[in-house]
Amino acid sequence: MKKDLISIKDLSSKEIGDLLDLTAKLKRNKAKFAKVLSGKTLALIFQKPSNRTRVSFEVGMYQLGGNSLCLAPQEINLGVRESIKDVARTLSRYVDGIVIRTFEHKNCLDMAAAASVPVINGLSDFSHPCQALADIFTVKEKLKKLKDVTLAYVGDGNNVCNSLLFSAAKTGMNINVASPKGYSPSEEVVKSSLEIAGSTGSKIMITEDPVCAVSGAQVVYTDVWASMGQEDEINKRKSIFKDFQISTKLLANASPDVLVMHCLPAHRGEEITDEVMDSKNSVVFDQAENRLHIQKAILIKLLKESR
Ligand code: CP
Ligand code: NVA
């Protein structure tokens, strides 16, 4: 039966562990996997801009011996020119997998329900699973473990934050989330993460105090204050989020060797200072690189092994 990747919540802890193990092998030995997806094609549908997601998926398919094609918003005009269901059913006759970056998470679910090939969420307003998987791979690569690691996410309780919460809960990593009042992750996501955490030992803290969140943390993570589609709110958000900037001063409360993470693109001078972005603690470009390796593992699992 075909498998999709729509939310980390849908993956078991074992599936996540297997993906991380395969990613490490792919990163170590590129040549060994050069023909694994020979003859396969991946379609990428974008309703929003992208650098990392688009390039890493396209390069990943190429490195695995397959092909990819990128469909810009005006080409497919999803849901306007044709229904999502009909796009999904048509593409399923041509390609072996579909990546979709969209506004409403429901579009991912509708695409997955109608497609007969695997569908991968390349970012929705609710989640960004490929990013969070690359992130936990990066943490494990740097710190050699996830259990007993505390990641502090400081900023908007957005799609990236939701996926990090589920990833932490599933893997036993601890996570503290600090957001301004009204910008915390939804109660539903927190409740569901806490339920999952009960079986893995992950500790989850939700706070409005960034200093409290980063205290003793080994990893500090942030993302833009206004996500794609919220650009008109940026001025309002700049004043609401001003105390949530990742600065050297805030990091003084974290572990001395703290890893600084950001999914990118970063708005330097807003959610993160230049000084921190360019410091020796920053692993943001390792994260970006690991998008390639983790997505190659995802593609192998979904396009080859689960079909
Ligand atoms: N982090 C991330 O998804 O980057 P892009 O928006 O450039 O794809
Ligand atoms: N939260 C950001 C992530 C970008 C990769 C957004 O949705 O725009």
Side-chain angles (χ1 to χ4, degrees):
M1 207 179 95
K2 72 127 177 176
K3 249 182 110 58
D4 307 298
L5 174 56
I6 305 300
S7 169
I8 302 275
K9 199 182 155 200
D10 307 330
L11 296 173
S12 68
S13 299
K14 178 173 182 318
E15 283 171 321
I16 295 176
D18 289 348
L19 270 173
L20 298 181
D21 290 346
L22 179 57
T23 304
K25 287 185 192 138
L26 283 154
K27 190 168 179 176
R28 268 198 310 269
N29 192 347
K30 186 168 139 189
K32 187 177 164 196
F33 298 88
K35 295 201 172 73
V36 175
L37 294 186
S38 167
K40 306 260 187 206
T41 302
L42 180 73
L44 296 135
I45 300 175
F46 285 96
Q47 289 194 300
K48 298 176 180 179
S50 171
N51 171 3
R52 282 144 289 271
T53 305
R54 179 190 173 167
V55 178
S56 55
F57 266 116
E58 291 215 53
V59 171
M61 275 306 279
Y62 177 73
Q63 290 184 358
L64 294 170
N67 291 302
S68 62
L69 55 101
C70 191
L71 300 157
Q74 67 277 14
E75 286 168 318
I76 287 259
N77 211 352
L78 203 64
V80 179
R81 184 168 182 267
E82 207 172 3
S83 71
I84 291 179
K85 191 172 165 182
D86 289 349
V87 170
R89 292 173 73 178
T90 305
L91 287 178
S92 298
R93 300 289 180 108
Y94 301 133
V95 302
D96 303 282
I98 301 169
V99 174
I100 175 169
R101 167 166 289 196
T102 183
F103 288 93
E104 285 173 57
H105 188 67
K106 185 176 178 299
N107 293 344
C108 294
L109 298 170
D110 290 349
M111 180 72 71
S116 57
V117 298
V119 173
I120 300 170
N121 175 1
L123 182 146
S124 67
D125 59 358
F126 175 71
S127 66
H128 198 1
C130 300
Q131 181 66 52
L133 288 168
D135 297 336
I136 55 171
F137 178 80
T138 308
V139 172
K140 197 169 174 202
E141 187 177 45
K142 302 284 176 194
L143 302 180
K144 312 291 173 222
K145 60 180 183 179
L146 290 171
K147 284 217 159 60
D148 300 321
V149 169
T150 298
L151 180 149
Y153 177 94
V154 179
D156 189 23
N158 61 15
N159 44 9
V160 170
C161 178
N162 290 343
S163 292
L164 286 170
L165 270 165
F166 288 133
S167 301
K170 293 264 177 181
T171 60
M173 185 173 77
N174 304 321
I175 183 164
N176 301 336
V177 177
S179 315
K181 194 173 168 49
Y183 293 86
S184 295
S186 73
E187 269 178 38
E188 191 192 333
V189 169
V190 174
K191 185 167 168 270
S192 149
S193 305
L194 283 168
E195 273 166 21
I196 301 165
S199 61
T200 62
S202 159
K203 294 189 207 93
I204 297 177
M205 176 174 78
I206 310 292
T207 173
E208 290 167 16
D209 181 351
V211 174
C212 174
V214 305
S215 286
Q218 293 98 325
V219 185
V220 172
Y221 195 120
T222 191
D223 184 15
V224 290
W225 291 338
S227 285
M228 289 181 274
Q230 299 172 330
E231 288 83 358
D232 57 349
E233 291 180 34
I234 188 60
N235 285 334
K236 180 179 116 191
R237 285 176 177 246
K238 271 186 194 171
S239 82
I240 293 171
F241 282 81
K242 68 179 181 339
D243 297 331
F244 291 74
Q245 184 185 60
I246 305 300
S247 61
T248 305
K249 187 169 165 229
L250 181 64
L251 288 183
N253 301 286
S255 162
D257 298 324
V258 65
L259 300 179
V260 175
M261 300 182 77
H262 193 309
C263 56
L264 305 178
H267 292 173
R268 290 166 177 257
E270 293 179 20
E271 75 275 2
I272 189 164
T273 61
D274 262 328
E275 187 184 23
V276 171
M277 255 301 268
D278 298 328
S279 69
K280 63 173 179 23
N281 302 76
S282 169
V283 296
V284 300
F285 298 106
D286 297 320
Q287 273 177 272
E289 177 188 332
N290 285 333
R291 289 290 302 276
L292 170 68
H293 306 298
I294 198 91
Q295 286 161 197
K296 284 169 74 178
I298 294 166
L299 289 167
I300 291 173
K301 291 278 178 201
L302 299 190
L303 272 57
K304 192 174 167 73
E305 293 181 9
S306 81
R307 306 215 65 218

